[in-house]
Amino acid sequence: MKVTAEDVRQALGAVLDPELDEPITDLGFVRSLEVSNSPAGAEVVLHLRLPTSFCSPNFAYLMASDSKDAVSALPGVAKVVVELDDHHDSALINAGLAEDAGYRGTFRHEAEDSLEELRWTFRRKAHTAAMERCLTELLRADPARAEESVGTVRLGDLPGGRTKDALVRRRMALGLPAEPAAVVLVDHDGHPYPPEQVPMALRRARSTRISIDGNAHFCRGLLRTRYAGSDADQIDRPEGAEPADHHHLLPFTVKEIHP
């Protein structure tokens, strides 16, 4: 089965920066990829880049490891080589990926939380931001509506669209109820807030969402400063959009090699 660069791009569209909750393709983190097809199967060589050389090693490893897993899962792929460029831990991370050593095997005594713990932390943040976007849409649509009232809003009350769809997916990722009767504004354990706590809960959620959006904007700018021309590989997000919902075709450097 022939594997194309487009197949690889689509697979990488599901790999997210854990802190920014956006696909690495949208952020411009994919520097280049090569696909070489042979009767034995396709070999993919992928190079990733980050906004700075001191980005968190945990996040860097997570994105690189998820990229290798996503591409390896493609039918017809026999080998995947992922190289993280220009990071202060590039040599360590690349060696660990090549040996399939895993996170703890790569960082050994320097490893902190497990990757799964990191994933859950950022899944919760992504859910909080998606929840706030949906409720803020309701408040903007009806300026006379009191903040306290959103504490009783249920999924079935939300208008259809990408923000609601994104919220439902994030609830499902956390194992939270996703049926129409489920209350929207809940804590990490799925518990609704009493009326007097709703305004503060919404403000905290808004702070999380603004932090995610602001960091994403900042990281895009840093990448453009560090790598000339990388802006062509980025997809800008409008405020309130949910970029992880769609895969985009990007004009990053692609080289396909066929026997």
Side-chain angles (χ1 to χ4, degrees):
M1 175 182 293
K2 178 182 175 181
V3 178
T4 68
E6 176 59 25
D7 295 330
V8 176
R9 281 196 295 267
Q10 289 293 322
L12 292 173
V15 178
L16 307 182
D17 179 300
E19 186 175 26
L20 307 181
D21 191 38
E22 293 195 45
I24 60 172
T25 46
D26 284 22
L27 291 163
F29 291 174
V30 178
R31 190 173 197 170
S32 66
L33 67 88
E34 298 179 358
V35 182
S36 178
N37 283 282
S38 73
E43 178 176 341
V44 178
V45 178
L46 172 69
H47 282 262
L48 302 180
R49 60 189 174 190
L50 296 176
T52 72
S53 63
F54 49 85
C55 288
S56 167
N58 292 351
F59 301 162
Y61 180 86
L62 187 63
M63 286 183 278
S65 177
D66 284 354
S67 296
K68 184 173 183 178
D69 290 345
V71 177
S72 296
L74 288 172
V77 170
K79 182 179 180 180
V80 180
V81 177
V82 176
E83 295 279 341
L84 177 64
D85 297 340
D86 308 327
H87 188 271
H88 71 84
D89 267 340
S90 283
L92 183 64
I93 291 173
N94 293 341
L97 291 171
E99 297 172 4
D100 291 322
Y103 174 64
R104 294 193 182 279
T106 297
F107 290 99
R108 301 185 184 279
H109 64 280
E110 296 180 12
E112 298 174 358
D113 296 333
S114 71
L115 284 185
E116 193 56 28
E117 288 170 335
L118 280 174
R119 291 183 202 279
W120 276 99
T121 295
F122 289 105
R123 282 173 189 163
R124 293 186 184 102
K125 288 187 176 182
H127 166 252
T128 297
M131 181 172 63
E132 185 274 340
R133 289 188 184 105
C134 288
L135 295 176
T136 295
E137 279 188 356
L138 289 183
L139 291 170
R140 286 174 177 169
D142 183 6
R145 183 169 193 160
E147 281 191 337
E148 292 83 354
S149 70
V150 301
T152 59
V153 171
R154 300 178 184 274
L155 285 177
D157 300 327
L158 297 176
R162 60 186 300 170
T163 50
K164 179 180 179 179
D165 292 344
L167 174 60
V168 170
R169 279 194 292 275
R170 279 152 180 74
R171 290 180 72 107
M172 293 176 68
L174 291 175
L176 297 177
E179 65 269 10
V183 174
V184 172
L185 186 63
V186 295
D187 62 20
H188 294 324
D189 296 317
H191 301 137
Y193 293 92
E196 68 274 10
Q197 294 182 18
V198 167
M200 184 55 67
L202 187 60
R203 289 185 180 94
R204 286 197 299 266
R206 186 167 295 128
S207 177
T208 297
R209 191 266 300 166
I210 290 172
S211 176
I212 290 174
D213 289 348
N215 284 340
H217 179 76
F218 183 60
C219 285
R220 277 190 170 84
L222 287 175
L223 190 78
R224 291 193 294 268
T225 300
R226 190 180 192 197
Y227 297 104
S230 61
D231 57 313
D233 299 338
Q234 297 178 334
I235 299 294
D236 285 325
R237 61 186 282 180
E239 190 205 353
E242 198 63 39
D245 296 342
H246 297 281
H247 298 165
H248 303 279
L249 305 183
L250 299 179
F252 51 69
T253 304
V254 174
K255 180 181 179 183
E256 292 190 50
I257 307 173
H258 304 288

